[in-house]
Amino acid sequence: MDKMLLGRYINGDSLIHRMDPRGKLFLSFYFIVIVFLCNNWETYVLMTAMVMLFVKLSDISLGFFIKGVRPLIWLILFTVLLQIFFSSGGHVYWHWGPFTVTDSGMINGVFVFCRFVLIIFMSTLLTLTTTPIEISDGLELLLKPLTKIKVPVYEIALMLSIALRFVPTLMDETTKIMNAQRARGVNFGEGNLIKQIKSVIPLLIPLFVSSFNRAEDLATAMEARGYHGGEGRTKYRKQEWKRNDTIAVILFVVLTIALVVLRK
Amino acid sequence: MNGIIDIKDLCFRYSQENEKLDLSHIDLHVNEGEWLAIIGHNGSGKSTLAKAIDGLIEPEAGEIFIDGEKLTDKSLWNIRKKIGMVFQNPDNQFVGADVEGDVAFGLENQGIEREEMHARVKKALEVVDMQNFAKHEPVRLSGGQKQRVAIAGVLALRPKIVIFDESTSMLDPEGRLQIISLIRQMNQTEGFTVISITHDIDEASLADRVIVIDDGQIIDDSLPEKLFQKGEQLIDIGLDVPYPQRLKLELKKRGIQIPAEYMDEESMVNWLCRSILKN
């Protein structure tokens, strides 16, 4: 399970690490929006330069980001191939049945590839430099306006932080149950598809039961510690908007303007 | 006389279909600053009693008074402020994403100001000697450490009563000793009223008073030294006796004359040394 990069956090004390999670969350989403402003070489080069700057500032080696791309590589290649083989317009290089390869199709393919990689890099940057707690705290603050339309933001944030806190615990448990069942002769990941699906049952059922038991225990423990809903609760952690964050926001505003100017 | 906990004729059953009561006619009186151990075999109702005291389950009959206040729906939250509970499974009571956050959870629930919270969390972590782990996530802690964090969470709330519900049963011997010495410290130097529910006879033998529960009833209520003299009787109801008492029983079987009164480890060692020197 070590290979999983989802939600992995790498400890550090870089400029990016010290940013306010609210800022990081918001800018990560915003980045996905402005990636779609790119439609020519200049804009992509500018965008890539920007992402590289952030990667550099985070003090995390490029290898981690490339690892982040890996699980999605098939999706990316599939999309790129679709772009290459099924676009029309421009000079036709090759033509066979429904497939056409044109120069604009090739360029679009490269653009789509860049777009994917940039978005993945940026979201990996968010998870690598922000602890799960910070993410859930940040989300709570970002979503706070929604309390006006009766969205239970506080409860959602608590759910999220408990879920994140239990991910490693349940992973451990999964490994343990798998080993215990293996010791009794279950073969995981062997045989045909139906056999494989069947072999998951002795893993999933105990896992569900133990999750419910854990939930029950946790609920009792929370209640015993005086938890009765979000009302009147204070927050232990404080999030501070620092100069870093303001600079980052300004950078993004400048970037947006540059993109709008450069795009055709 | 009013104690910190007064229970009068408490009855409880988990399901109405059950004919038998899970707790039947419990009367209990606990004095302030006392360390009370509750022992009994599996399924005897010890944990149920603890949950009833904290209002986590609703009794069928009877009354519970905590610090002079009757436990009702209205006073429930106020009473929970006076009681801190440490549960059995160290993993399942860790609410926060890291140590600090977990210790602060109870304080957040009470709406305490941030500066005050930071001070209290720091102090509580110092007491349990976990200040170097403040930013650690639960996966990076051992069971004993998680249990110490749970105790810190209770200390930060500054309750009057602390209930340990088999808090040492899932720990290794070393973690257990650490937690027991923490319990002792909380009771003796900080003046908390401690109720410890336990299978661990050594833990029970340190208490001021021990009650034995069997089938949802209190069948014995005495000082540990008195209780553990009843060696064989205890073994009959599925309990154990402290190690020195077991040794005594074995020596008796081999025909060695040994004083009848309860001896803790130290007095046992002294007695053994003296009798060997005499021969």
Side-chain angles (χ1 to χ4, degrees):
Chain A
M1 305 278 171
D2 287 338
K3 281 183 209 138
M4 251 193 42
L5 207 68
L6 173 80
R8 249 295 271 292
Y9 166 74
I10 293 182
N11 206 6
D13 191 33
S14 67
L15 275 175
I16 307 276
H17 276 91
R18 272 176 280 145
M19 267 179 73
D20 188 300
R22 274 174 296 177
K24 274 192 275 193
L25 265 170
F26 179 72
L27 291 180
S28 303
F29 288 122
Y30 183 67
F31 179 84
I32 294 171
V33 174
I34 60 170
V35 156
F36 290 95
L37 282 177
C38 299
N39 62 355
N40 58 13
W41 291 112
E42 293 89 337
T43 45
Y44 271 109
V45 169
L46 181 66
M47 215 52 172
T48 314
M50 188 75 168
V51 171
M52 283 304 146
L53 173 72
F54 280 119
V55 169
K56 185 86 198 96
L57 284 178
S58 73
D59 274 343
I60 293 172
S61 78
L62 205 58
F64 279 108
F65 293 91
I66 293 168
K67 259 191 225 155
V69 176
R70 213 188 281 155
L72 288 170
I73 197 73
W74 294 113
L75 180 69
I76 297 173
L77 286 182
F78 180 68
T79 326
V80 168
L81 288 179
L82 276 186
Q83 282 287 339
I84 290 178
F85 284 114
F86 294 102
S87 358
S88 55
H91 181 74
V92 177
Y93 291 114
W94 184 70
H95 184 85
W96 183 76
F99 302 106
T100 38
V101 176
T102 66
D103 60 346
S104 76
M106 301 247 271
I107 291 171
N108 270 338
V110 175
F111 281 173
V112 166
F113 181 78
C114 289
R115 195 176 282 167
F116 261 112
V117 172
L118 288 178
I119 291 177
I120 295 170
F121 268 39
M122 208 56 179
S123 32
T124 315
L125 183 72
L126 172 75
T127 54
L128 286 181
T129 59
T130 323
T131 56
I133 324 161
E134 284 178 326
I135 292 184
S136 65
D137 278 359
L139 259 184
E140 187 185 347
L141 287 171
L142 277 182
L143 294 180
K144 207 155 217 174
L146 293 183
T147 43
K148 290 259 175 349
I149 56 165
K150 301 253 160 43
V151 177
V153 170
Y154 172 76
E155 277 73 15
I156 292 174
L158 185 76
M159 253 161 64
L160 191 69
S161 78
I162 289 176
L164 288 171
R165 173 244 169 284
F166 271 97
V167 168
T169 314
L170 289 179
M171 290 261 221
D172 274 358
E173 180 124 351
T174 311
T175 323
K176 265 186 215 153
I177 296 175
M178 276 174 94
N179 286 339
Q181 300 290 21
R182 273 199 197 107
R184 290 162 178 76
V186 178
N187 282 325
F188 290 105
E190 268 175 43
N192 59 25
L193 195 66
I194 294 175
K195 238 185 186 167
Q196 283 198 31
I197 293 173
K198 271 190 182 160
S199 74
V200 179
I201 294 170
L203 168 65
L204 278 189
I205 293 189
L207 199 59
F208 267 109
V209 173
S210 100
S211 303
F212 280 112
N213 283 336
R214 276 181 199 281
E216 166 96 46
D217 276 3
L218 186 73
T220 314
M222 282 170 69
E223 216 180 307
R225 284 161 77 179
Y227 177 77
H228 51 289
E231 224 153 285
R233 264 187 119 236
T234 43
K235 298 284 289 167
Y236 178 71
R237 245 173 280 277
K238 192 180 170 190
Q239 299 189 336
E240 274 172 302
W241 191 266
K242 289 175 288 261
R243 217 180 43 171
N244 276 353
D245 303 287
T246 318
I247 294 171
V249 168
I250 293 170
L251 215 55
F252 266 80
V253 170
V254 172
L255 179 71
T256 316
I257 295 168
L259 286 178
V260 170
V261 170
L262 285 173
R263 76 183 248 130
K264 280 185 287 208
Chain B
M1 190 181 78
N2 269 342
I4 190 136
I5 301 176
D6 263 304
I7 298 177
K8 289 188 184 118
D9 202 29
L10 178 79
C11 294
F12 174 80
R13 65 181 114 207
Y14 277 104
S15 148
Q16 287 302 325
E17 289 138 39
N18 276 9
E19 270 189 31
K20 217 182 79 220
L21 288 162
D22 291 292
L23 289 177
S24 70
H25 309 287
I26 300 268
D27 279 298
L28 183 64
H29 175 91
V30 184
N31 290 322
E32 191 154 4
E34 195 175 5
W35 177 352
L36 176 75
I38 303 179
I39 60 174
H41 63 78
N42 287 331
S44 55
K46 314 182 291 289
S47 298
T48 313
L49 178 59
K51 282 186 183 154
I53 293 172
D54 204 18
L56 292 166
I57 52 173
E58 207 174 330
E60 198 171 287
E63 290 175 327
I64 298 172
F65 292 88
I66 306 292
D67 205 12
E69 196 174 352
K70 189 174 176 222
L71 181 66
T72 58
D73 281 348
K74 233 191 222 162
S75 65
L76 181 68
W77 295 106
N78 196 24
I79 278 177
R80 281 200 189 144
K81 279 184 194 168
K82 294 178 184 166
I83 304 176
M85 271 185 102
V86 182
F87 293 92
Q88 180 175 22
N89 188 326
D91 242 327
N92 296 358
Q93 54 180 316
F94 207 106
V95 190
D98 60 5
V99 168
E100 269 184 323
D102 188 62
V103 176
F105 180 76
L107 299 172
E108 289 179 326
N109 289 336
Q110 292 192 6
I112 286 161
E113 293 300 313
R114 189 171 286 132
E115 282 74 38
E116 168 88 9
M117 266 201 267
H118 279 271
R120 283 210 206 174
V121 168
K122 194 163 164 264
K123 176 110 192 302
L125 285 177
E126 269 165 28
V127 173
V128 299
D129 196 23
M130 286 290 287
Q131 62 272 47
N132 298 332
F133 295 87
K135 302 270 181 222
H136 280 218
E137 299 94 47
V139 252
R140 285 159 69 198
L141 302 175
S142 71
Q145 286 172 330
K146 273 178 230 172
Q147 224 49 334
R148 295 214 305 256
V149 173
I151 293 177
V154 163
L155 285 173
L157 286 171
R158 300 183 182 158
K160 290 190 158 181
I161 305 160
V162 188
I163 301 176
F164 293 90
D165 187 355
E166 294 188 41
S167 306
T168 56
S169 66
M170 293 181 95
L171 304 179
D172 56 22
E174 197 189 331
R176 181 175 299 193
L177 285 180
Q178 283 178 355
I179 301 298
I180 292 176
S181 77
L182 250 176
I183 298 177
R184 198 208 304 243
Q185 184 193 338
M186 283 165 76
N187 177 247
Q188 287 175 354
T189 52
E190 321 256 337
F192 287 98
T193 305
V194 170
I195 297 182
S196 69
I197 293 163
T198 182
H199 280 290
D200 185 23
I201 291 305
D202 299 312
E203 186 182 325
S205 66
L206 291 169
D208 298 326
R209 185 156 68 107
V210 183
I211 64 174
V212 183
I213 293 194
D214 195 26
D215 266 347
Q217 282 170 310
I218 297 182
I219 55 165
D220 207 326
D221 179 348
S222 55
L223 303 173
E225 45 267 43
K226 282 231 176 81
L227 180 73
F228 293 123
Q229 270 178 33
K230 302 178 184 167
E232 276 127 354
Q233 262 170 283
L234 287 177
I235 293 169
D236 284 343
I237 56 163
L239 291 169
D240 206 352
V241 287
Y243 184 71
Q245 296 304 107
R246 283 216 307 272
L247 183 63
K248 216 160 90 174
L249 284 174
E250 290 300 317
L251 289 174
K252 240 190 210 160
K253 268 188 207 160
R254 285 164 177 73
I256 295 166
Q257 288 291 319
I258 193 155
E261 77 261 22
Y262 172 80
M263 291 191 285
D264 57 13
E265 221 161 285
E266 205 184 318
S267 57
M268 189 78 189
V269 168
N270 285 338
W271 183 83
L272 280 173
C273 291
R274 256 184 282 125
S275 45
I276 287 169
L277 286 176
K278 256 189 268 171
N279 293 335

